[in-house]
Amino acid sequence: MGRSGALASASMTRPRLHLFDLDGTLLHGTSAPVQISRQLGLEAETLALDVEIGAQRIGPPEYARRIHALWSQLTVDHVAAAFEGAPWLLGIRETWAEIRERGDYCAVVSLSPSFFVERLTAWGAHAACGSRFPAVPFTEPVDPAGVLSAAAKVKIANRLCEGFGVGQEDCIAYGDSLSDVDLFGAVPVSVAVNADQYVVGLATHSYTGRDLREAYELVRRGR
């Protein structure tokens, strides 16, 4: 094999990093805070907060402060019930297993609380990063410095790339909303999953449905 052929082969086989959003992406039509609040009978209050942050009337730190106050009675059992009963896309564990078998990496990067997001490592994610909240049940306030933003997703992606030995040019982002716009702009391949028209217009691929395996197939076919 000549030098150009060897380089092409290496390029095709070097590992890639798949970066998944959580709310509205892995979770179909909802968010982790809404699912958690449902356990406390506070779903309506949280949906109202979602409207405010979606309209950019408040930012992630204020959202986190107010959701923390709503969750004053939150327990670990509530979090576990919210996670287990949430409307996840089908095929998450199977998709991540295939990604691992191919020698690639998968990570979740979300603005939602870390105590919920980190549970996804048990499903096969190499890493799961969320906004840093105090341990449940809360005895401390939430630190605004630990609350993630759209720009923070790019910083985390860069840190993950460094840790896994992957270049940003080998990243694929999956997302659905404004919080994914910065990351979509930073990586070469992106998949809009059940996304609004603004995010769809930025993405390399677009998927509407309930099975992550089908969204992943758009990327796998193009490799």
Side-chain angles (χ1 to χ4, degrees):
M1 180 184 294
R3 177 175 172 79
S4 61
L7 288 174
S9 177
S11 174
M12 289 294 289
T13 58
R14 66 191 184 200
R16 300 196 297 180
L17 172 59
H18 298 256
L19 298 157
F20 296 90
D21 174 53
L22 174 64
D23 301 323
T25 303
L26 297 177
L27 286 174
H28 186 264
T30 188
S31 68
V34 169
Q35 294 304 303
I36 294 168
S37 292
R38 181 172 292 169
Q39 299 298 317
L40 298 167
L42 297 169
E43 182 178 359
E45 290 85 344
T46 303
L47 287 170
L49 281 179
D50 284 355
V51 170
E52 288 196 60
I53 195 168
Q56 298 182 291
R57 293 197 291 268
I58 60 173
E62 175 63 12
Y63 181 94
R65 185 190 68 78
R66 290 166 66 176
I67 204 75
H68 175 275
L70 276 180
W71 291 345
S72 61
Q73 303 301 311
L74 187 65
T75 67
V76 173
D77 288 343
H78 288 135
V79 177
F83 187 90
E84 292 165 9
W88 298 100
L89 290 189
L90 300 173
I92 294 175
R93 279 173 275 203
E94 293 84 352
T95 298
W96 291 351
E98 181 170 342
I99 287 171
R100 282 175 169 268
E101 288 168 5
R102 287 173 167 265
D104 291 342
Y105 300 97
C106 49
V108 181
V109 184
S110 171
L111 274 59
S112 278
S114 54
F115 60 75
F116 188 95
V117 180
E118 289 168 359
R119 287 173 173 262
L120 287 165
T121 58
W123 286 13
H126 287 92
C129 307
S131 292
R132 191 169 63 250
F133 270 63
V136 176
F138 299 144
T139 59
E140 302 173 4
V142 63
D143 181 359
V147 178
L148 301 187
S149 64
K153 282 191 170 187
V154 178
K155 294 179 181 179
I156 291 172
N158 289 338
R159 190 171 73 235
L160 291 171
C161 283
E162 184 177 351
F164 293 133
V166 175
Q168 193 179 76
E169 66 274 13
D170 296 310
C171 289
I172 303 100
Y174 303 73
D176 75 303
S177 67
L178 282 175
S179 71
D180 303 300
V181 168
D182 288 15
L183 189 55
F184 274 30
V187 303
V189 180
S190 54
V191 184
V193 179
N194 297 315
D196 62 35
Q197 59 181 329
Y198 304 106
V199 179
V200 168
L202 299 173
T204 312
H205 307 281
S206 180
Y207 171 72
T208 301
R210 298 293 298 268
D211 197 320
L212 188 62
R213 290 166 292 197
E214 295 171 355
Y216 170 66
E217 181 67 14
L218 298 174
V219 173
R220 192 185 68 80
R221 284 204 311 260
R223 184 161 189 174

